[in-house]
């Protein structure tokens, strides 16, 4: 009898930093210091663009925002190095596993 053993199994418990990048911008410090309630910061990403999923600062996937149980989540649409899912092949947002976000970036 042969027991299949994954030689990388010991890495599965290593904690990494997963982040979702909504967008970014550059501002002069005077503009940052002038920010207050009701301020709006325009980001470099369009509303219909996929968001970057990063692990320890390296992009591993792209996805779209979903809402599950009153919380933000992210549905993975494409993994780095893989072809994106076609709309017909993508699971519905309610069926897809989502990564719960602790807050907006």
């Amino acid at each position: 009898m042969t027991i299949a053993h994954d030689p990388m199994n010991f890495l599965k418990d290593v904690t990494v930093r997963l982040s979702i990048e909504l967008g970014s911008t550059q501002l002069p410090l005077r503009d940052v210091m002038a920010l207050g309630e009701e301020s709006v910061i325009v980001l470099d990403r369009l509303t219909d663009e996929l968001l970057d999923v990063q692990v320890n600062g390296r992009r591993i996937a792209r996805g779209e925002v979903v809402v599950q149980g009153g919380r933000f989540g992210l549905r993975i649409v494409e993994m780095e190095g893989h072809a994106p899912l076609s709309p017909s092949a993508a699971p519905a947002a309610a069926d897809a596993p989502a990564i719960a976000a602790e807050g907006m970036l």
Side-chain angles (χ1 to χ4, degrees):
M1 176 197 266
T2 311
I3 298 175
H5 177 67
D6 181 1
M8 303 298 278
N9 198 40
F10 71 98
L11 292 175
K12 292 180 180 178
D13 290 329
V14 173
T15 301
V16 295
R17 179 80 174 164
L18 184 124
S19 58
I20 311 302
E21 184 173 311
L22 182 61
S24 63
T25 192
Q26 288 187 343
L27 299 171
L29 186 54
R30 74 177 148 276
D31 291 350
V32 174
M33 293 173 69
L35 292 174
E37 291 182 25
E38 304 294 323
S39 294
V40 175
I41 301 169
V42 179
L43 303 176
D44 61 354
R45 193 172 305 247
L46 299 174
T47 57
D48 61 347
E49 285 185 73
L50 296 175
L51 305 180
D52 294 334
V53 179
Q54 299 178 351
V55 170
N56 290 345
R58 181 174 181 180
R59 187 172 81 184
I60 62 157
R62 295 174 50 143
E64 58 191 15
V65 174
V66 296
V67 177
Q68 283 191 333
R71 298 186 70 122
F72 288 109
L74 189 86
R75 184 174 69 85
I76 302 295
V77 173
E78 63 185 57
M79 297 297 295
E80 278 297 305
H82 294 81
L85 292 172
S86 65
S88 61
D95 299 333
I99 300 168
E102 293 181 4
M104 291 181 56
L105 299 175

